[in-house]
Amino acid sequence: MIQLNNIRKSYRTEYTALEVLKGIDLTIETGEFAAIMGSSGSGKSTLLNIMGILDDYTIGEYYLAGTLIKDLSQTQAAYYRNQMIGFVFQSFNLLSFKSAWENVALPLYYQKVDRKKRKDMAMAYLDKVGLKDWAEHLPNQLSGGQQQRVAIARSLITQPKVLLADEPTGALDSTTSYEVMKIFKEVNEQGITVILVTHENDIAAKCKRVIRLKDGLIEGNTVAASAS
Ligand code: ADP
Ligand code: MG
C-alpha cells in the first residue's frame, strides 16, 4: 500500500538546511496496523505528513497503491488525498461552529454531495463511532474522546484506503485513549490500513507493528506476536 524508498526531507532557511528525514525505506502492506514511535523532533509528523500527501519530500520515491506521489500539483495532491487518505490530528481540528454531524459531513460537501445524502452518511459514520445521539451537539459540548471520535468519523466518510493519525490519543486520558484505539482496531479489521504516531508504549502495544524513528532514520521495526 505504502512504499517509501530512501525518503529524505530537509528544511532550508537562507543560511542553514535541517535534514529531518535522512533516508527512510519502509513498506507498509494493505491491512497493516502500525505505530510510529520516536522522541520529539525525530521526524514522526514529517513522515506521516508525507504519507498523507500533506507535505512533499526532497529526495526519494513514495508509492501509494502503486502510484508515484512526487512533485504533484495541488489539484493532483488533493485528488489522491481524497481518494486514498483519511487523516486524524492530535487536536481533533473540528470546526467549533458546526455540529458533530456537520463536521463529519464536511468532506462530502467538498465533493458536492447533496445535503440529504451528506446527513445520512454522516449519521451512519457517527453511529459507527458510537455517537449517533450526539449528532446535533457542537464540539465544545463533547468530551475530548467524543471529539476525537467525531474526527475519526469525518476521516472515514470518504472511505479512505489508509487512515493516518498523528498522536490521536495525545490529548486524551488513558481510559478515553483505549476507547479511541478500539475504534482504530475496528477500522483496521474492516480492511483499512491504519498508521498512527504515538510516544506512548501502551498505545503502540495495541498495534500489530511498531516502527521506531530516531534522528530521521528508522532504527527499529517489530511485529507484535499478538496485539492486545
Ligand atoms: P516529531 O513529530 O517526531 O516530533 P517533526 O516531524 O514534527 O518531529 O519535526 C522534526 C524536525 O523538523 C524538528 O526539529 C522540527 O523542528 C523540524 N521541522 C518540522 N517542521 C518544520 C518546518 N516547517 N520548518 C522547519 N523545520 C521544521
Ligand atoms: Mg509530531
PDB file of all heavy atoms in Angstrom, residues 109-124:
ATOM      1  N   TYR A 109     -19.201  17.677   1.499  1.00  0.00           N
ATOM      2  CA  TYR A 109     -19.565  18.997   0.984  1.00  0.00           C
ATOM      3  C   TYR A 109     -18.584  19.394  -0.126  1.00  0.00           C
ATOM      4  O   TYR A 109     -18.988  19.853  -1.194  1.00  0.00           O
ATOM      5  CB  TYR A 109     -19.533  20.005   2.137  1.00  0.00           C
ATOM      6  CG  TYR A 109     -19.761  21.432   1.715  1.00  0.00           C
ATOM      7  CD1 TYR A 109     -21.047  21.928   1.526  1.00  0.00           C
ATOM      8  CD2 TYR A 109     -18.682  22.289   1.501  1.00  0.00           C
ATOM      9  CE1 TYR A 109     -21.249  23.237   1.142  1.00  0.00           C
ATOM     10  CE2 TYR A 109     -18.874  23.604   1.115  1.00  0.00           C
ATOM     11  CZ  TYR A 109     -20.162  24.069   0.929  1.00  0.00           C
ATOM     12  OH  TYR A 109     -20.363  25.364   0.541  1.00  0.00           O
ATOM     13  N   TYR A 110     -17.305  19.151   0.124  1.00  0.00           N
ATOM     14  CA  TYR A 110     -16.300  19.489  -0.892  1.00  0.00           C
ATOM     15  C   TYR A 110     -16.405  18.586  -2.110  1.00  0.00           C
ATOM     16  O   TYR A 110     -15.962  18.942  -3.197  1.00  0.00           O
ATOM     17  CB  TYR A 110     -14.886  19.442  -0.289  1.00  0.00           C
ATOM     18  CG  TYR A 110     -14.687  20.513   0.745  1.00  0.00           C
ATOM     19  CD1 TYR A 110     -14.451  20.201   2.085  1.00  0.00           C
ATOM     20  CD2 TYR A 110     -14.785  21.861   0.395  1.00  0.00           C
ATOM     21  CE1 TYR A 110     -14.306  21.191   3.036  1.00  0.00           C
ATOM     22  CE2 TYR A 110     -14.641  22.862   1.343  1.00  0.00           C
ATOM     23  CZ  TYR A 110     -14.396  22.516   2.653  1.00  0.00           C
ATOM     24  OH  TYR A 110     -14.260  23.499   3.598  1.00  0.00           O
ATOM     25  N   GLN A 111     -16.997  17.408  -1.916  1.00  0.00           N
ATOM     26  CA  GLN A 111     -17.213  16.511  -3.066  1.00  0.00           C
ATOM     27  C   GLN A 111     -18.567  16.782  -3.729  1.00  0.00           C
ATOM     28  O   GLN A 111     -19.004  16.025  -4.591  1.00  0.00           O
ATOM     29  CB  GLN A 111     -17.141  15.050  -2.622  1.00  0.00           C
ATOM     30  CG  GLN A 111     -15.746  14.634  -2.184  1.00  0.00           C
ATOM     31  CD  GLN A 111     -15.663  13.163  -1.805  1.00  0.00           C
ATOM     32  OE1 GLN A 111     -16.650  12.429  -1.850  1.00  0.00           O
ATOM     33  NE2 GLN A 111     -14.466  12.730  -1.427  1.00  0.00           N
ATOM     34  N   LYS A 112     -19.241  17.846  -3.260  1.00  0.00           N
ATOM     35  CA  LYS A 112     -20.502  18.291  -3.855  1.00  0.00           C
ATOM     36  C   LYS A 112     -21.634  17.256  -3.743  1.00  0.00           C
ATOM     37  O   LYS A 112     -22.505  17.156  -4.607  1.00  0.00           O
ATOM     38  CB  LYS A 112     -20.303  18.718  -5.314  1.00  0.00           C
ATOM     39  CG  LYS A 112     -19.263  19.830  -5.452  1.00  0.00           C
ATOM     40  CD  LYS A 112     -19.257  20.437  -6.830  1.00  0.00           C
ATOM     41  CE  LYS A 112     -18.476  21.737  -6.919  1.00  0.00           C
ATOM     42  NZ  LYS A 112     -17.145  21.711  -6.303  1.00  0.00           N
ATOM     43  N   VAL A 113     -21.581  16.474  -2.682  1.00  0.00           N
ATOM     44  CA  VAL A 113     -22.688  15.558  -2.387  1.00  0.00           C
ATOM     45  C   VAL A 113     -23.841  16.393  -1.825  1.00  0.00           C
ATOM     46  O   VAL A 113     -23.610  17.338  -1.071  1.00  0.00           O
ATOM     47  CB  VAL A 113     -22.217  14.500  -1.356  1.00  0.00           C
ATOM     48  CG1 VAL A 113     -23.359  13.602  -0.932  1.00  0.00           C
ATOM     49  CG2 VAL A 113     -21.036  13.703  -1.901  1.00  0.00           C
ATOM     50  N   ASP A 114     -25.078  16.058  -2.182  1.00  0.00           N
ATOM     51  CA  ASP A 114     -26.191  16.901  -1.703  1.00  0.00           C
ATOM     52  C   ASP A 114     -26.431  16.707  -0.200  1.00  0.00           C
ATOM     53  O   ASP A 114     -26.024  15.703   0.386  1.00  0.00           O
ATOM     54  CB  ASP A 114     -27.463  16.687  -2.536  1.00  0.00           C
ATOM     55  CG  ASP A 114     -28.089  15.329  -2.290  1.00  0.00           C
ATOM     56  OD1 ASP A 114     -28.512  15.061  -1.146  1.00  0.00           O
ATOM     57  OD2 ASP A 114     -28.148  14.525  -3.243  1.00  0.00           O
ATOM     58  N   ARG A 115     -27.119  17.700   0.383  1.00  0.00           N
ATOM     59  CA  ARG A 115     -27.202  17.796   1.845  1.00  0.00           C
ATOM     60  C   ARG A 115     -27.871  16.586   2.488  1.00  0.00           C
ATOM     61  O   ARG A 115     -27.427  16.082   3.517  1.00  0.00           O
ATOM     62  CB  ARG A 115     -27.943  19.088   2.221  1.00  0.00           C
ATOM     63  CG  ARG A 115     -27.993  19.319   3.723  1.00  0.00           C
ATOM     64  CD  ARG A 115     -28.705  20.614   4.078  1.00  0.00           C
ATOM     65  NE  ARG A 115     -29.096  20.594   5.487  1.00  0.00           N
ATOM     66  CZ  ARG A 115     -28.358  21.101   6.480  1.00  0.00           C
ATOM     67  NH1 ARG A 115     -27.215  21.656   6.230  1.00  0.00           N
ATOM     68  NH2 ARG A 115     -28.794  21.034   7.728  1.00  0.00           N
ATOM     69  N   LYS A 116     -28.932  16.096   1.871  1.00  0.00           N
ATOM     70  CA  LYS A 116     -29.647  14.949   2.423  1.00  0.00           C
ATOM     71  C   LYS A 116     -28.722  13.739   2.525  1.00  0.00           C
ATOM     72  O   LYS A 116     -28.639  13.071   3.551  1.00  0.00           O
ATOM     73  CB  LYS A 116     -30.861  14.659   1.514  1.00  0.00           C
ATOM     74  CG  LYS A 116     -31.530  13.310   1.723  1.00  0.00           C
ATOM     75  CD  LYS A 116     -32.587  13.387   2.832  1.00  0.00           C
ATOM     76  CE  LYS A 116     -33.396  12.114   2.937  1.00  0.00           C
ATOM     77  NZ  LYS A 116     -32.657  10.987   3.514  1.00  0.00           N
ATOM     78  N   LYS A 117     -27.991  13.462   1.444  1.00  0.00           N
ATOM     79  CA  LYS A 117     -27.090  12.326   1.422  1.00  0.00           C
ATOM     80  C   LYS A 117     -25.937  12.541   2.401  1.00  0.00           C
ATOM     81  O   LYS A 117     -25.511  11.613   3.094  1.00  0.00           O
ATOM     82  CB  LYS A 117     -26.557  12.116  -0.012  1.00  0.00           C
ATOM     83  CG  LYS A 117     -25.546  11.007  -0.155  1.00  0.00           C
ATOM     84  CD  LYS A 117     -25.836  10.098  -1.347  1.00  0.00           C
ATOM     85  CE  LYS A 117     -25.046   8.806  -1.255  1.00  0.00           C
ATOM     86  NZ  LYS A 117     -23.886   8.779  -2.145  1.00  0.00           N
ATOM     87  N   ARG A 118     -25.462  13.803   2.474  1.00  0.00           N
ATOM     88  CA  ARG A 118     -24.380  14.118   3.420  1.00  0.00           C
ATOM     89  C   ARG A 118     -24.818  13.790   4.836  1.00  0.00           C
ATOM     90  O   ARG A 118     -24.095  13.174   5.600  1.00  0.00           O
ATOM     91  CB  ARG A 118     -24.032  15.619   3.379  1.00  0.00           C
ATOM     92  CG  ARG A 118     -23.340  16.081   2.133  1.00  0.00           C
ATOM     93  CD  ARG A 118     -22.522  17.351   2.363  1.00  0.00           C
ATOM     94  NE  ARG A 118     -23.216  18.514   2.883  1.00  0.00           N
ATOM     95  CZ  ARG A 118     -23.812  19.446   2.147  1.00  0.00           C
ATOM     96  NH1 ARG A 118     -23.848  19.335   0.836  1.00  0.00           N
ATOM     97  NH2 ARG A 118     -24.386  20.489   2.716  1.00  0.00           N
ATOM     98  N   LYS A 119     -26.036  14.198   5.186  1.00  0.00           N
ATOM     99  CA  LYS A 119     -26.501  13.970   6.557  1.00  0.00           C
ATOM    100  C   LYS A 119     -26.689  12.470   6.810  1.00  0.00           C
ATOM    101  O   LYS A 119     -26.274  11.960   7.854  1.00  0.00           O
ATOM    102  CB  LYS A 119     -27.797  14.732   6.831  1.00  0.00           C
ATOM    103  CG  LYS A 119     -28.256  14.509   8.269  1.00  0.00           C
ATOM    104  CD  LYS A 119     -29.126  15.599   8.823  1.00  0.00           C
ATOM    105  CE  LYS A 119     -29.261  15.414  10.340  1.00  0.00           C
ATOM    106  NZ  LYS A 119     -30.136  16.386  10.964  1.00  0.00           N
ATOM    107  N   ASP A 120     -27.286  11.762   5.864  1.00  0.00           N
ATOM    108  CA  ASP A 120     -27.484  10.316   6.033  1.00  0.00           C
ATOM    109  C   ASP A 120     -26.151   9.600   6.252  1.00  0.00           C
ATOM    110  O   ASP A 120     -26.020   8.762   7.148  1.00  0.00           O
ATOM    111  CB  ASP A 120     -28.176   9.720   4.792  1.00  0.00           C
ATOM    112  CG  ASP A 120     -29.642  10.142   4.709  1.00  0.00           C
ATOM    113  OD1 ASP A 120     -30.156  10.702   5.697  1.00  0.00           O
ATOM    114  OD2 ASP A 120     -30.255   9.904   3.654  1.00  0.00           O
ATOM    115  N   MET A 121     -25.177   9.950   5.423  1.00  0.00           N
ATOM    116  CA  MET A 121     -23.874   9.282   5.556  1.00  0.00           C
ATOM    117  C   MET A 121     -23.183   9.666   6.850  1.00  0.00           C
ATOM    118  O   MET A 121     -22.595   8.833   7.536  1.00  0.00           O
ATOM    119  CB  MET A 121     -22.977   9.599   4.359  1.00  0.00           C
ATOM    120  CG  MET A 121     -23.380   8.831   3.111  1.00  0.00           C
ATOM    121  SD  MET A 121     -22.193   9.055   1.774  1.00  0.00           S
ATOM    122  CE  MET A 121     -20.772   8.160   2.413  1.00  0.00           C
ATOM    123  N   ALA A 122     -23.271  10.955   7.210  1.00  0.00           N
ATOM    124  CA  ALA A 122     -22.637  11.409   8.456  1.00  0.00           C
ATOM    125  C   ALA A 122     -23.248  10.685   9.649  1.00  0.00           C
ATOM    126  O   ALA A 122     -22.538  10.258  10.564  1.00  0.00           O
ATOM    127  CB  ALA A 122     -22.786  12.921   8.598  1.00  0.00           C
ATOM    128  N   MET A 123     -24.576  10.509   9.629  1.00  0.00           N
ATOM    129  CA  MET A 123     -25.237   9.810  10.730  1.00  0.00           C
ATOM    130  C   MET A 123     -24.760   8.359  10.806  1.00  0.00           C
ATOM    131  O   MET A 123     -24.530   7.828  11.895  1.00  0.00           O
ATOM    132  CB  MET A 123     -26.759   9.850  10.560  1.00  0.00           C
ATOM    133  CG  MET A 123     -27.367  11.243  10.698  1.00  0.00           C
ATOM    134  SD  MET A 123     -26.966  12.114  12.214  1.00  0.00           S
ATOM    135  CE  MET A 123     -27.909  11.153  13.387  1.00  0.00           C
ATOM    136  N   ALA A 124     -24.604   7.725   9.658  1.00  0.00           N
ATOM    137  CA  ALA A 124     -24.128   6.335   9.644  1.00  0.00           C
ATOM    138  C   ALA A 124     -22.712   6.237  10.217  1.00  0.00           C
ATOM    139  O   ALA A 124     -22.408   5.322  10.991  1.00  0.00           O
ATOM    140  CB  ALA A 124     -24.180   5.792   8.218  1.00  0.00           C
TER     141      ALA A 124
END
